[in-house]
Amino acid sequence: MANSGRDYYQVLGLPRTASADEIKKAYRRLARQFHPDMHSGAKKTEMEKKFKEMNEAHEVLSDPDKRKKYDQHGTQWEQAEAYERARQAAGAQNRGQAHSFSGEGFSDIFENLFGGRGRAAGQHEFSSSGEDLETEVDLSLREVLRGVTKRINLMEPVPCSTCRGSGAVKNRPCQACLGSGHRMESTSIEVKIPAGVQNGTRVRVPGKGQLGTNGGRRGDLYLHVTLMPNKIFRQQGTDLHANLPVWPWEAALGAEVMAPTLTDAVRVKIPAGSRAESKLRLKGKGLPTAAGGHGDLFLTLQIVLPSPLTEGEQKLYEQLSHLRTGDPRAELLAAAQHN
Ligand SMILES: [Zn+2]
């Protein structure tokens, strides 16, 4: 394990006076927050690093012996430990065992061993921005059409009521908030999602990510938008597609029928002589486009046979079969011969 060089107390967000119980509690809380399984993508790699740092800090501070050394010698202790680790790692490599020891870790150790910058952990309190958070939001096509306000649950820091945000009670670290001055409270915010967002869009909510350290700015919250599949309308960019069932005589003679859209049903004209699978285009009945317009809705005609046939229908179909003498397969059969 490479030594991160960060101050262990800072990593766990604890004062140097923290009790063993406070260390345990902070470790448990952060383990939940940083656990790599709770994050995805680039976040996961970051969290893996934090998780490692946190484990390292806990390993030392939860061991009274190691903690005492760390408290007494600080950097000196780290150098001794780093030297010991480097020696062990070299030994392990000589024996041909796999041992992860990054180049970065080595250079840190050499800097510490041979003077170099002589970076003492905890001497400089750099502020750093809070992590960005990401959460999933599922939208229906109707919500995409009109835009929607979504309620998002998240953890928000609130000032600790025990120490009134100071982190200390009578010069002792506040037990309620472990000296941090705040508690995380579950809350919900409303986020307005504009009309026309596409599947996979990330909507940024500034300042709603994790807290920064030492006055660093708070991270942002990103909403990852997923469009939920719709039973009737298939989405393709800003266009929508749906099937429209028609009777054989509606396709043959033409008709005016009601067709569904994402909003209200509209009256559409089926042209006489429409073939099965032919498409009708309803302009502007799709999803909002970036240019401010709307995509189209395409209706695919499905010719459906009445079933079961009534006696009257049976007779009419029989009449049709006598009236039409041509063979619809004649062309196909001829073409197949010369194939
Ligand atoms: Zn407090």
Side-chain angles (χ1 to χ4, degrees):
M1 182 169 60
N3 190 317
S4 67
R6 280 195 61 195
D7 180 74
Y8 292 152
Y9 291 101
Q10 207 182 323
V11 167
L12 294 181
L14 292 172
R16 301 191 87 82
T17 50
S19 69
D21 194 45
E22 282 165 352
I23 290 168
K24 197 159 89 186
K25 272 186 192 159
Y27 172 69
R28 281 188 185 159
R29 181 171 54 81
L30 291 172
R32 277 198 297 273
Q33 193 180 336
F34 292 152
H35 201 286
D37 289 353
M38 307 275 283
H39 304 269
S40 59
K43 199 100 216 126
K44 197 180 178 76
T45 317
E46 275 177 52
M47 287 301 158
E48 275 165 358
K49 191 171 154 243
K50 277 183 171 287
F51 197 66
K52 240 170 133 175
E53 265 180 15
M54 179 202 72
N55 276 321
E56 188 186 311
H58 176 250
E59 199 185 303
V60 172
L61 297 187
S62 65
D63 181 324
D65 224 45
K66 282 185 186 171
R67 184 181 177 186
K68 208 170 148 190
K69 279 190 216 161
Y70 180 80
D71 286 347
Q72 277 176 357
H73 305 298
T75 317
Q76 293 296 318
W77 176 87
E78 275 196 305
Q79 281 176 359
E81 187 76 1
Y83 176 69
E84 188 57 31
R85 275 183 195 163
R87 219 168 55 89
Q88 282 172 5
Q93 274 168 357
N94 287 342
R95 290 193 302 275
Q97 288 172 7
H99 198 286
S100 71
F101 208 91
S102 69
E104 195 192 342
F106 259 117
S107 76
D108 274 0
I109 284 162
F110 289 132
E111 263 167 18
N112 284 339
L113 284 178
F114 302 116
R117 281 177 292 159
R119 191 153 53 101
Q123 265 185 5
H124 311 287
E125 300 234 324
F126 295 111
S127 75
S128 63
S129 305
E131 305 289 342
D132 291 335
L133 290 175
E134 201 159 323
T135 188
E136 299 282 330
V137 178
D138 292 334
L139 293 190
S140 68
L141 291 179
R142 203 172 287 228
E143 288 171 332
V144 172
L145 182 69
R146 293 184 166 150
V148 65
T149 300
K150 281 275 178 184
R151 193 162 270 282
I152 309 290
N153 294 317
L154 74 166
M155 299 300 279
E156 279 271 283
V158 291
C160 171
S161 52
T162 309
C163 61
R164 296 182 183 191
S166 72
V169 179
K170 291 173 190 160
N171 291 325
R172 293 269 306 144
C174 172
Q175 294 283 326
C177 63
L178 303 174
S180 68
H182 63 260
R183 283 180 305 107
M184 295 307 277
E185 202 168 74
S186 155
T187 181
S188 66
I189 54 167
E190 285 192 338
V191 180
K192 204 167 146 50
I193 295 171
V197 292
Q198 290 276 313
N199 197 28
T201 304
R202 293 206 323 161
V203 179
R204 179 169 166 263
V205 188
K208 291 294 178 188
Q210 293 198 2
L211 288 178
T213 52
N214 299 320
R217 72 164 197 98
R218 214 176 145 186
D220 299 328
L221 172 67
Y222 284 92
L223 307 181
H224 188 260
V225 173
T226 305
L227 297 197
M228 289 187 289
N230 186 288
K231 277 182 186 155
I232 295 161
F233 301 100
R234 297 180 302 281
Q235 177 234 354
Q236 207 170 65
T238 56
D239 290 336
L240 296 173
H241 295 260
N243 291 335
L244 187 69
V246 293
W247 295 124
W249 50 89
E250 287 176 332
L253 306 174
E256 278 197 4
V257 304
M258 295 306 284
T261 73
L262 264 189
T263 54
D264 295 326
V266 294
R267 186 171 290 277
V268 297
K269 213 170 170 171
I270 312 288
S274 287
R275 288 168 166 265
E277 302 297 323
S278 61
K279 287 185 198 297
L280 297 179
R281 179 180 177 202
L282 302 192
K283 266 192 86 118
K285 293 292 180 188
L287 297 172
T289 63
H294 281 81
D296 302 329
L297 168 59
F298 292 90
L299 299 169
T300 304
L301 297 190
Q302 307 280 308
I303 296 179
V304 290
L305 289 172
S307 175
L309 293 176
T310 62
E311 209 176 310
E313 285 163 346
Q314 176 87 22
K315 281 199 175 118
L316 286 168
Y317 269 114
E318 278 165 9
Q319 273 186 40
L320 265 179
S321 76
H322 297 304
L323 283 169
R324 172 64 64 165
T325 51
D327 183 348
R329 292 159 296 275
E331 215 173 286
L332 170 74
L333 292 167
Q337 287 292 313
H338 306 290
N339 204 350

